[in-house]
Amino acid sequence: MSIYNTIIVGGGASGILSAIQLDDKNSILLEKNEILGKKILFTGGGRCNLTNNSTLDEYINCFYNSGKFYRNAFMNFFNKDIIKLLEDNGCKTKIEENNRVFPVTDKSKTVQKTFIDILNKKSTQYRINSTVNSIKKEKDLFIIEYDNSKIVKSKFVILATGGIAYPKTGSTGDGYRFAEELGHSISKKMAGLSPLIIKERWINKLQGISVDCKIEIKTSKKSINKDEGSVLFTHNGISGPVILNNSMEIKKFLLKKQDVIVNLDLCKDYSYEDLDLKLKNDFSNNSNKTIKTYLHKFIPKKMSKVLLDNLKIQSDKILNQITKKERLIIRDSLKRISLSVVDIIEKESFVTNSGVKRKEINPATFESKIVDNLFIVGELVDGCGISGGYNLQQAYSTGVLASETIKERLNNDSY
Ligand SMILES: Cc1cc2nc3c(=O)[nH]c(=O)nc-3n(C[C@H](O)[C@H](O)[C@H](O)COP(=O)(O)OP(=O)(O)OC[C@H]3O[C@@H](n4cnc5c(N)ncnc54)[C@H](O)[C@@H]3O)c2cc1C
């Protein structure tokens, strides 16, 4: 029976980077899907926001309260390293708004394929269509059963199975079971970065439209947060980076049975007074325009008729026929669309904000503090980052750090 140096369980972003970094012919990655990096294909709306080009300090702040835990991993292998690795292998990248990095092809497939090409040049083996069923440790060796009866052994294991977000990509929570069976504890299961279901049905007609706005999240008692960014209308509510990033906070209040409202300010650069003055002037200066056409100044074309229908204002009314009352209604709704949150959509969440408790993992190496030579990386670690390329970077950085630690030990005589 083969005894490998390392077995990597899971071939997502963290497992692939672990395998690349190991570059060891006596190590193997086992992936249950028919392809490696399946989830990468779905990232960034099919464009793969592959990392974020911000500074280390900004990164630390982007992981809710778990950022410091990744300091070593990021210092060891950071955004510039993944960009260089991809670019050196033919995947050119570009930086967009908020330092988000994408492939110039705007296709996730380019990133996933480049990773596989890089891995193919390394000596680490990999096997697809191979589902790991159990992991045990006996003396100094891990015993791994896969495909229901096949057994392989190894000195090291890297658990890179992801969490439970988007289970159709293979992350079905197996890693939690493996970690628990090996003595670890898992934090309370919680979705991170989830879209919201909204009560007001009229916004469903806006599905697919994105607006840049300020948001304020409120309960009946207080303002929870003010933020700014892109909001995407969906078939039953809202999504987009600024909504995803606030979803966990919103869920906390929903769990306390409090009503939560999200107010959208579509004219963030105007105060109520300034906007009213502008509307008043423009309405008298552009008297032949319809209100529907005029509103394109502030909101996407497809949105103005839906908004006006909801306000019960005729969309083809010409500007000089708009009454003062109507003007004020228009102004108020440009400044505040109030949306009542029914719930977050956990099954559509982008990441899992739970996993193996961080206090049981050494942040200097990502080795388990409970089982020697077991490494836990990527989304399987408790916590998550905000939207913007941070979560993929966490997956690469933790995978690389684990592999470098293993390589060092393999070079040491005792192994
Ligand atoms: C729709 C969507 C869009 C996203 N967009 C972005 C984005 O643009 N930028 C960003 O930074 N982050 C994004 N994320 C988050 C990001 O994809 C994850 O944080 C990242 O993929 C986690 O990598 P991972 O390797 O830890 O886990 P995963 O990518 O989930 O990989 C785990 C792998 O382990 C395999 N596996 C699980 N159990 C077993 C088993 N028993 N045996 C063998 N194999 C197993 C799975 O099949 C899977 O391939 C997005 C997530 C989603 C769902």
Side-chain angles (χ1 to χ4, degrees):
M1 181 185 306
S2 12
I3 297 181
Y4 290 99
N5 285 333
T6 308
I7 294 176
I8 302 164
V9 185
S14 62
I16 296 173
L17 264 290
S18 302
I20 289 173
Q21 193 62 28
L22 266 182
D23 191 12
D24 172 29
K25 64 177 183 339
N26 198 26
S27 292
I28 189 165
L29 180 158
L30 300 175
E31 164 57 51
K32 69 157 93 152
N33 287 326
E34 64 295 352
I35 48 165
L36 296 180
K38 191 168 187 178
K39 187 172 279 178
I40 295 172
L41 297 175
F42 292 83
T43 56
R47 297 201 304 132
C48 187
N49 177 192
L50 58 101
T51 185
N52 192 288
N53 201 40
S54 58
T55 63
L56 179 60
D57 284 343
E58 284 165 323
Y59 260 77
I60 305 286
N61 289 330
C62 289
F63 279 79
Y64 299 93
N65 53 7
S66 62
K68 287 184 188 151
F69 192 74
Y70 300 112
R71 186 180 283 279
N72 285 307
F74 290 145
M75 278 169 53
N76 182 58
F77 185 88
F78 200 33
N79 45 19
K80 62 177 183 339
D81 301 305
I82 195 72
I83 291 171
K84 183 169 185 322
L85 181 69
L86 286 166
E87 296 227 340
D88 285 352
N89 287 279
C91 172
K92 299 292 170 222
T93 62
K94 58 177 175 175
I95 301 170
E96 293 192 2
E97 213 182 330
N98 297 323
N99 282 320
R100 290 166 184 258
V101 182
F102 292 89
V104 290
T105 58
D106 279 329
K107 289 192 172 69
S108 305
K109 178 82 192 153
T110 317
V111 177
Q112 179 245 16
K113 184 179 172 303
T114 309
F115 281 144
I116 296 174
D117 289 347
I118 300 169
L119 181 56
N120 283 334
K121 289 182 210 154
K122 303 286 175 182
S123 53
T124 312
Q125 305 174 47
Y126 64 86
R127 206 171 286 167
I128 51 172
N129 296 313
S130 300
T131 302
V132 171
N133 310 112
S134 69
I135 306 174
K136 292 190 188 96
K137 192 165 186 201
E138 279 175 15
K139 297 194 182 136
D140 288 339
L141 285 183
F142 290 95
I143 299 160
I144 294 191
E145 189 200 312
Y146 73 101
D147 287 351
N148 292 321
S149 56
K150 296 176 188 156
I151 302 285
V152 277
K153 296 185 178 182
S154 66
K155 298 167 190 164
F156 298 93
V157 162
I158 300 179
L159 270 186
T161 54
I164 43 166
Y166 253 59
K168 66 177 174 186
T169 61
S171 42
T172 49
D174 295 1
Y176 300 148
R177 178 168 55 83
F178 300 147
E180 274 179 327
E181 285 169 2
L182 287 162
H184 277 283
S185 31
I186 308 297
S187 61
K188 193 164 169 271
K189 299 233 167 50
M190 198 175 167
L193 309 187
S194 314
L196 305 179
I197 303 177
I198 295 295
K199 189 168 146 203
E200 288 75 16
R201 310 307 310 173
W202 71 271
I203 64 155
N204 301 161
K205 292 190 188 130
L206 299 173
Q207 181 181 356
I209 295 176
S210 221
V211 285
D212 230 9
C213 56
K214 270 190 184 159
I215 66 164
E216 182 176 19
I217 301 161
K218 296 176 84 168
T219 64
S220 50
K221 293 182 189 145
K222 62 175 185 176
S223 173
I224 306 173
N225 196 19
K226 290 182 179 168
D227 208 338
E228 203 172 319
S230 182
V231 173
L232 171 73
F233 293 97
T234 64
H235 64 292
N236 60 356
I238 48 176
S239 183
V242 73
I243 299 300
L244 299 174
N245 293 344
N246 282 284
S247 60
M248 285 192 282
E249 194 60 19
I250 289 174
K251 183 67 184 179
K252 280 187 206 160
F253 287 90
L254 294 173
L255 284 171
K256 287 185 215 157
K257 305 266 176 255
Q258 296 199 27
D259 292 334
V260 180
I261 300 288
V262 179
N263 288 327
L264 309 185
D265 178 351
L266 302 170
C267 282
K268 55 189 166 68
D269 299 328
Y270 291 90
S271 66
Y272 273 80
E273 295 71 30
D274 291 347
L275 183 60
D276 192 40
L277 196 65
K278 176 153 183 63
L279 295 180
K280 210 168 156 183
N281 286 337
D282 286 357
F283 285 9
S284 54
N285 294 338
N286 297 283
S287 51
N288 289 330
K289 261 194 187 164
T290 62
I291 180 67
K292 181 177 75 179
T293 312
Y294 172 77
L295 285 185
H296 300 166
K297 246 185 203 318
F298 306 103
I299 54 178
K301 270 189 183 169
K302 287 187 193 153
M303 188 171 182
S304 54
K305 180 163 181 349
V306 180
L307 183 73
L308 290 163
D309 286 352
N310 182 54
L311 299 175
K312 300 202 169 30
I313 295 174
Q314 262 183 299
S315 59
D316 51 6
K317 212 167 182 182
I318 59 170
L319 294 182
N320 65 6
Q321 288 175 359
I322 301 282
T323 64
K324 181 178 176 191
K325 189 176 164 204
E326 286 173 328
R327 188 183 79 231
L328 293 177
I329 292 175
I330 292 169
R331 177 200 66 176
D332 289 350
S333 82
L334 287 175
K335 284 301 289 172
R336 189 167 69 193
I337 293 181
S338 273
L339 303 174
S340 329
V341 181
V342 178
D343 205 350
I344 68 165
I345 316 177
E346 289 199 21
K347 68 176 192 326
E348 288 178 24
S349 83
F350 285 48
V351 288
T352 322
N353 182 36
S354 47
V356 177
K357 290 188 175 165
R358 290 190 300 278
K359 65 177 184 198
E360 297 175 359
I361 300 169
N362 178 356
T365 55
F366 281 79
E367 185 176 13
S368 157
K369 289 183 182 172
I370 293 176
V371 184
D372 286 347
N373 299 336
L374 172 71
F375 291 77
I376 297 160
V377 298
E379 200 176 317
L380 183 57
V381 180
D382 184 21
C384 69
I386 65 168
S387 161
Y390 302 97
N391 287 298
L392 278 172
Q393 184 64 52
Q394 182 268 20
Y396 320 133
S397 299
T398 53
V400 167
L401 185 54
S403 285
E404 285 186 2
T405 310
I406 292 172
K407 272 175 99 164
E408 259 176 50
R409 290 196 198 159
L410 286 169
N411 287 336
N412 179 322
D413 282 345
S414 58
Y415 286 96

